[in-house]
Amino acid sequence: MEQEKPRLKQAAVVINPSKSSAESFTAEFNALCESEGWAPPLWLETTVDDPGVGQARDALASGVDLVVAAGGDGTARAVAEVLSGSETPLGIAPLGTGNLLARNLAIDVNSPTSAAGWLLNGELKKIDIVKVRLDHAADEKTFLVMAGVGYDAIIMSDTDDELKDRVGWLAYVEAGIRHLPGRPVKATLTIDGKVVMKRRVRSIMIGNCGKIMGGIEIFPGAKIDDGVFDVVVLAPTGRFGWLNVLGAIFSRRNANQSVGQFTGKSAEIQLERAQECQLDGDACGETRQLEVRIEPLALNVKIPG
């Protein structure tokens, strides 16, 4: 009797086809799977209507051994939303502009195709994810790096796409300068059931890890696997308010009159009026209320060995 051939491992790739390096990564990863004795990958393209959630569900249902998010942080976030709580690991091919999750996991973002070399054979790491409910909605959303309301979200929603294609993350700096003037909003911040702040703010950001654009550590000491998230409140006041904000961020001081910092496992933000909101750099409209909770070590990811 002929012996049945052993099943080959297989990866699924949820890929954003609009990224400039998508074609070269496809060729590189196909060749890698063949050379490593894996089955041909299952390729699933994202669309404007579905940035990766439906594709990740299809991948998980097919029983693959690895799901690769090939795109930016938005693609990684969509795939992670489906994979969290399962044993199937997430691989990250950083084809986007920010690639913040990849940066925080020490993945090379300068040569996207180089990521293919360790995706199949890298180490497994469990990381935290953060769940967010906006305006008492029935469904929760997921983020991996950071979320924010106010000034930071306005920057994300009003960054020039053509400029971003030309100069990368520096396009966010341009948007940030344009939106420095603005009205603060009265906010109430509750962490782990306790009200910790009531004041007028420009932005409240929740971080699952430390580094953002340009390697700046908005959340000093934050770790992606420590079971808590970090909250930074920007509340510049007076003539030198934004200078105080920059001083706190770049000197890594814990706080000053313009910056507040907190940590927790759950939080609620109540705003006097609706503000722009973003999750991992993706604009998600305006909101007046956010509920946030951490899910410790809920996601398996592949990292360079």
Side-chain angles (χ1 to χ4, degrees), residues 25-90:
F25 174 77
T26 300
E28 179 93 5
F29 195 66
N30 278 330
L32 175 71
C33 288
E34 183 178 7
S35 67
E36 292 290 329
W38 284 49
L42 175 64
W43 292 93
L44 302 165
E45 292 189 352
T46 65
T47 65
V48 173
D49 294 329
D50 189 343
V53 172
Q55 296 86 342
R57 285 176 181 152
D58 290 343
L60 200 59
S62 71
V64 295
D65 301 279
L66 169 71
V67 182
V68 177
D73 287 306
T75 306
R77 181 172 68 84
V79 175
E81 190 167 296
V82 175
L83 296 185
S84 63
S86 77
E87 291 302 314
T88 305
L90 167 70

Side-chain angles (χ1 to χ4, degrees), residues 10-267:
Q10 186 182 33
V13 184
V14 178
I15 188 166
N16 184 338
S18 71
K19 300 303 181 183
S20 60
S21 51
E23 187 175 345
S24 60
F25 174 77
T26 300
E28 179 93 5
F29 195 66
N30 278 330
L32 175 71
C33 288
E34 183 178 7
S35 67
E36 292 290 329
W38 284 49
L42 175 64
W43 292 93
L44 302 165
E45 292 189 352
T46 65
T47 65
V48 173
D49 294 329
D50 189 343
V53 172
Q55 296 86 342
R57 285 176 181 152
D58 290 343
L60 200 59
S62 71
V64 295
D65 301 279
L66 169 71
V67 182
V68 177
D73 287 306
T75 306
R77 181 172 68 84
V79 175
E81 190 167 296
V82 175
L83 296 185
S84 63
S86 77
E87 291 302 314
T88 305
L90 167 70
I92 301 159
L95 310 186
T97 302
N99 302 311
L100 298 182
L101 180 61
R103 293 174 193 274
N104 280 279
L105 292 173
I107 294 169
D108 182 8
V109 300
N110 296 313
S111 177
T113 54
S114 71
W118 55 265
L119 279 169
L120 303 185
N121 302 308
E123 296 180 359
L124 277 177
K125 178 180 178 66
K126 286 186 177 292
I127 66 171
D128 304 336
I129 66 167
V130 187
K131 293 288 187 178
V132 182
R133 193 185 307 277
L134 304 177
D135 287 329
H136 307 287
D139 298 326
E140 291 179 305
K141 299 178 182 292
T142 297
F143 74 86
L144 302 171
V145 180
M146 66 173 289
V149 288
Y151 175 66
D152 72 293
I154 292 171
I155 292 172
M156 299 300 177
S157 65
D158 195 33
T159 298
D160 186 289
D161 287 336
E162 290 185 7
L163 184 62
K164 190 164 63 171
D165 289 339
R166 292 201 309 270
V167 301
W169 64 267
L170 289 174
Y172 295 104
V173 176
E174 186 272 338
I177 293 171
R178 277 192 287 114
H179 288 284
L180 276 176
R183 289 175 61 201
V185 61
K186 187 176 181 180
T188 300
L189 174 62
T190 303
I191 295 183
D192 295 338
K194 180 182 178 181
V195 176
V196 297
M197 185 208 72
K198 283 186 179 182
R199 67 179 299 188
R200 294 191 176 277
V201 305
R202 285 295 307 279
S203 180
I204 299 178
M205 297 177 289
I206 306 104
N208 191 33
C209 44
K211 293 180 183 177
I212 62 164
M213 297 299 176
I216 299 170
E217 290 197 19
I218 287 287
F219 310 97
K223 295 181 179 179
I224 203 166
D225 57 358
D226 60 359
V228 296
F229 53 72
D230 291 58
V231 181
V232 170
V233 178
L234 305 185
T237 57
R239 194 172 175 183
F240 302 105
W242 280 114
L243 290 178
N244 288 334
V245 168
L246 292 174
I249 291 171
F250 285 104
S251 67
R252 300 186 184 180
R253 294 198 302 269
N254 289 332
N256 63 29
Q257 62 179 351
S258 297
V259 177
Q261 294 183 353
F262 309 90
T263 60
K265 297 180 179 180
S266 66

